[in-house]
Amino acid sequence: MNVILYPGGRRVDLAPGQTLMEAGRQLAGHGQTAIEAPCGGKGHCGQCRVIVRHGNVTPANSTEKAFIEPSDLDKGVRLACQCVALGPVHVEIPPETMSAVPNLQIAGDEARVALDPPVRRFTVRLRPTTRQHPFSLWRQIEREIAATHPVQDLKAAPYLIRAHDPTAADTKVRVILRGQELTGLYPGDVPAPPLLGMAVDLGTTKVAGYLVDLESGKLLASEGVMNPQTGLGADVISRLTYANGHPDNAAGLSRLARDCIRHLALTLTQRIGAALTGIEQVVVAANTAMHHLLLQWPVRQLGFSPYLPASTAPTTVRARELDLNFAQGARIYLLPPLAGYVGGDHLAMILATRIYEAHGVTLGFDIGTNTEIVLACHGRLYSCSCASGPAFEGAQIRQGVRAVPGAVHAVRMVADGRAILKTIADKPPVGLCGSGVVDAVAELVRIGVVNPLGALDRGHPRVEMVAPGSEPRFVLAGADSVKGGRSLFLWQKDITAIQLAKAAVGAGTSALMAAAGITPADVERIVIAGAFGTHLNLKSAIRIGLLPGLPVQCFSQVGNAAGTGARMVLVSETERHRVETLGSRIEYIELGGNPKFQQWFSQSLRFPELGA
Amino acid sequence: MNVILYPGGRRVDLAPGQTLMEAGRQLAGHGQTAIEAPCGGKGHCGQCRVIVRHGNVTPANSTEKAFIEPSDLDKGVRLACQCVALGPVHVEIPPETMSAVPNLQIAGDEARVALDPPVRRFTVRLRPTTRQHPFSLWRQIEREIAATHPVQDLKAAPYLIRAHDPTAADTKVRVILRGQELTGLYPGDVPAPPLLGMAVDLGTTKVAGYLVDLESGKLLASEGVMNPQTGLGADVISRLTYANGHPDNAAGLSRLARDCIRHLALTLTQRIGAALTGIEQVVVAANTAMHHLLLQWPVRQLGFSPYLPASTAPTTVRARELDLNFAQGARIYLLPPLAGYVGGDHLAMILATRIYEAHGVTLGFDIGTNTEIVLACHGRLYSCSCASGPAFEGAQIRQGVRAVPGAVHAVRMVADGRAILKTIADKPPVGLCGSGVVDAVAELVRIGVVNPLGALDRGHPRVEMVAPGSEPRFVLAGADSVKGGRSLFLWQKDITAIQLAKAAVGAGTSALMAAAGITPADVERIVIAGAFGTHLNLKSAIRIGLLPGLPVQCFSQVGNAAGTGARMVLVSETERHRVETLGSRIEYIELGGNPKFQQWFSQSLRFPELGA
């Protein structure tokens, strides 16, 4: 059974008898669902309302009739967990039913920049065109704008000229100006809808969207969703491999990214009661691979040294070229990639944190599957990317989970060797998320159960082996101690995964400091961006040697700085020029070809000595 | 029976039994045919070869078998005059069979300008991308171009980046640069095809195309065809009326104009063995109505005062936006209209004749259904448009014809009152073309058979009336005197039509001189552009008062100056800037609202006195 889901128009396939809830699960993937279902799809809550727009489904059952008004049933409203498709159907998920991915970091600091957006709106009072006043609509608009705004050779876009009678009546109009070009014309006698821009942080796993009023700079709405490409490859490498497999694959990945941006835009505009066509400008900050996959640019060369981006230029495309039905003149601006593994999202982070204008010595980290590091050192900027792997995001950890409710995000060992666990939303523990794993390892290092080489002390009473000679594990929570949760262990291999990840970051840090000719003692400030970095316990990160051991007050945890940077570029042409200049200022340090890399990596593998 | 004709893909409808020749006639309209048929479709010449690509037709008859090789018959080659469609068919007219409109003025003077085209081509030797030489294809191209050509922030077009592997091999490439953007990339190890541009003079009746080598400025081929819109309205007004009737009509007219440009481009490129995709730039000079109809811009307001163009800005569109499959980055540049009845073609004429830089006082005329006049007077430029009507083009004349073989183009009265007629290609006379009518009227004025008020002398032996009291006519050629031709007459109404037409031109000339504060005695030079003006007998034109009575050496007849101007703009950005500046320099004189117009018109109605 084909099911087409709106917004987005994506197709999923159901086995006979499966409910529409299953379609929502398929759409989201990864055990998530695109349809909100607080009761887990048992028909207890009545929240999973969808609208069947087209096609045959089972008649409404008694559960549905109990939750849905007859007038809504007539309109096709159904409960996704009860309704079964009997043939191809088109189903709309209304905004109140769409599920957001829980606890996704999208806040960031409020962007504080002087407004200088790429599009402006003017209201013009027109006089009728007559023989005595022989001025066309366009000429009158040009004159009015030129009277208050310094612009030369102002021109209307050909599609506007085509669509509008050039003679003017006695009325008011609102026009959109982009550079020297008029790109929109709307009636001026009605209340003005907001002039909208959208910033997108297009990550490998998560996509955050920010809807901004371009005239006030105000954030109107924000939302985070999973990158729908995840189903075709969880990490960058597997996704690039998939893209290289067949041109249709690359086209499909691009389609998914566009759909995701459209979906986000629809969610955000619906939330404020605005139209998609009100969006005049989009700014996308992405890592190089996501940037290329969105534009369907070649990615084969990203798989081998020297890891060349197809282009390192900032790119602007019309929204229509990406099949995004925003305002007719809408443009998509993509921040330039700097290198194969240092993307526009890293530039956005450097912009947002103002690291580029730091005096003295500042290190900036955006820790994830790839960790980008920037070093500002007396006016110069160095940057690199380390393959830290997904351990910090809870993957490659035996009981690792994403930052969902019930994920352990903090661990504290008490005197008797027991572990006190804190979970997201105080739910019974379901696993360890990245900050929880780092905390657990740090605590075990602190109490000496993990030695500097990373080995678990097999003699410790809470270290056990399932069978003699098998992999040891530390019991964080036994079956007896946890109500409604699972037993939790930290396995030897989990510790090793964290060790390798932090060694990669440490080696990158060493490479940048070597390039700048400084030592760790010279570092004065550390900025940590990104979701993982925001929830990271700094003392634990220092304890395991992931971050240099500066006093805690020297650190700033700035949240999703890439999204903030994208929003700054969205509302300010000055910031856009600045970020483009930044790209040429940064000295990119390629770790792959560096003969010293292995040495730095080995040095960074060790955990700091007890008491150090 | 539907017949689709290629190139162009236009559809015509045949009655059962009609041959494909009829399809060619329908396509061309106006008694012309799109398929060359020297024998008139009698099956005597074998020239009307077409290729039936698809569909059922009658089997080849003995006539076709006599002219066409069996191997060609197998390929679908047929004689259009013999072959009958038995159902829907697709027919291709090969270039050698396409008919050009005879004796169309497309020559113009060779444009002499310094080359400064909007696109340039560079050949770049690439080195392989390696870890030691980590430079992408694009970076290498940028460096190479920047070494010899002053360009900043050079960028490759996104569609190029998408289409090409960014790593470079040891090879040569040719790239196309437009401004700061690379818009094309081709193999460099093969002989270079020419870098093509096309200039188009898009007239109400005729369309001339010029294929130009943008690197040498050389004219490679030129061709003229009838404007296929003619079938939907012979003159501007009827075509605008048709366009306003229904949005589909406007879309259809636009489609016809685009098809015509594509057809011309195909003919021209095939003639030199080049590909359509070699065309990188097109410049279109058109009157305001043709310009708007091509772009499908609003034309309703061109029908009433103040006759506003939808926009007077120069316009650039992508070739793809007009469905023209030229080079991927190809642009169509349209010269700006100046006013409702003074178009970019007039600006092109002023550019080509360099009237704008004339010292002293120069008048320029482009005589046609609308006659545009420009007056350059001590550094200032004045311009107007007069509704001279189609008489000068042979229409509204009882026996008027276009400039086809057999058209009388010159008339000389000899002592006994007989008229000596000269015809195009010395064929038996079929009618009078514009210059022939002017000649005939001028001669009758000279010998006094037409008086200053325009009346035929009914007492003259060669003036006759078909019935008493009916319209008199002058016998130019009686049935007895013409072998194989028709009897030819100049009717009283023909004379009146010419009188009204020249009065309109005279009134326009007076209006410009009044605006500049000069008299006819101040005029030092007269430039006459356009097909009609080129074939015009100057003495006759002066005799009837169409042109001021300067010595003949003060006149220049410059041919299709609009086409020449378009070619200048095509090969030179300097000329493009110049023509755009010209637009703002010209003082446009609207005749419609001028209270003195009626007086000037009345004064201009009279023919100059005998002996004056």
Side-chain angles (χ1 to χ4, degrees), chain B residues 37 49 54 59 161-162 173 208 227 248 270-271 285 295 310 317 329 341 365 455 471 550 570 590:
Chain B
R49 289 168 177 235
H54 185 78
I161 296 175
R162 177 176 298 174
V173 292
N227 186 332
D248 288 352
Q270 285 184 342
R271 196 173 299 161
L295 293 173
V317 296
Y341 287 90
F365 294 87
E471 184 189 356
L550 263 62
L570 179 62
E590 171 61 49

Side-chain angles (χ1 to χ4, degrees), chain A residues 376-412:
Chain A
C377 184
H378 305 300
R380 292 178 72 173
L381 289 167
Y382 306 86
S383 189
C384 74
S385 172
C386 338
S388 41
F392 293 138
E393 299 190 329
Q396 283 186 356
I397 301 298
R398 194 80 66 98
Q399 288 180 309
V401 292
R402 296 193 184 282
V404 293
V408 172
H409 66 91
V411 175
R412 181 83 195 152

Side-chain angles (χ1 to χ4, degrees), chain A residues 122 242 516 608:
Chain A
F122 296 84
Y242 176 77

Side-chain angles (χ1 to χ4, degrees), chain A residues 28-30 32-34 36 98-106 205-207 223-227 402-405:
Chain A
H30 294 86
Q32 307 288 329
T33 172
E36 193 76 60
M98 281 180 204
S99 68
V101 179
N103 203 28
L104 198 62
Q105 178 63 34
I106 49 167
T205 309
K206 301 164 199 165
V207 185
E223 183 61 291
V225 296
M226 300 300 292
N227 187 332
R402 296 193 184 282
V404 293

Side-chain angles (χ1 to χ4, degrees), chain A residues 129-131 133-139 142 154-159 161-168 254 258 294-298 300-301 304-318 321-322 592-593, chain B residues 129-131 133-139 142 154-159 161-168 254 258 294-298 300-301 304-318 321-322 592-593:
Chain A
T129 303
T130 61
R131 191 182 291 185
H133 182 247
F135 301 107
S136 74
L137 173 74
W138 307 113
R139 184 57 58 92
E142 284 164 34
L154 192 154
K155 270 202 230 183
Y159 61 80
I161 296 174
R162 178 177 297 175
H164 292 278
D165 182 342
T167 60
S254 175
R258 298 166 191 201
L294 172 63
L295 293 173
Q296 214 180 321
W297 280 5
R300 193 188 52 85
Q301 79 291 344
F304 49 84
S305 177
Y307 310 101
L308 282 183
S311 166
T312 54
T315 298
T316 301
V317 297
R318 292 157 195 252
E321 287 175 61
L322 296 184
Chain B
T129 302
T130 61
R131 192 181 292 187
H133 182 247
F135 301 107
S136 74
L137 173 73
W138 307 112
R139 185 56 60 90
E142 284 164 33
L154 191 153
K155 270 202 231 184
Y159 60 80
I161 296 175
R162 177 176 298 174
H164 293 277
D165 183 341
T167 60
S254 175
R258 299 167 190 200
L294 171 63
L295 293 173
Q296 215 182 321
W297 281 5
R300 193 187 54 82
Q301 79 290 346
F304 51 83
S305 175
Y307 310 101
L308 283 183
S311 166
T312 53
T315 298
T316 301
V317 296
R318 290 156 196 252
E321 288 176 61
L322 296 184

Side-chain angles (χ1 to χ4, degrees), chain B residues 584-603:
Chain B
S584 57
R585 270 187 59 196
I586 294 174
E587 299 171 49
Y588 171 65
I589 310 295
E590 171 61 49
L591 299 183
N594 199 315
K596 280 198 162 170
F597 181 77
Q598 207 49 51
Q599 182 190 331
W600 290 323
F601 187 83
S602 303
Q603 285 167 356

Side-chain angles (χ1 to χ4, degrees), chain A residues 547-576:
Chain A
L547 297 175
L550 263 62
V552 172
Q553 61 273 22
C554 298
F555 286 81
S556 325
Q557 285 169 291
V558 297
N560 184 353
T564 305
R567 278 160 57 201
M568 291 163 69
V569 170
L570 178 63
V571 299
S572 166
E573 288 288 276
T574 310
E575 298 294 338
R576 181 175 67 79

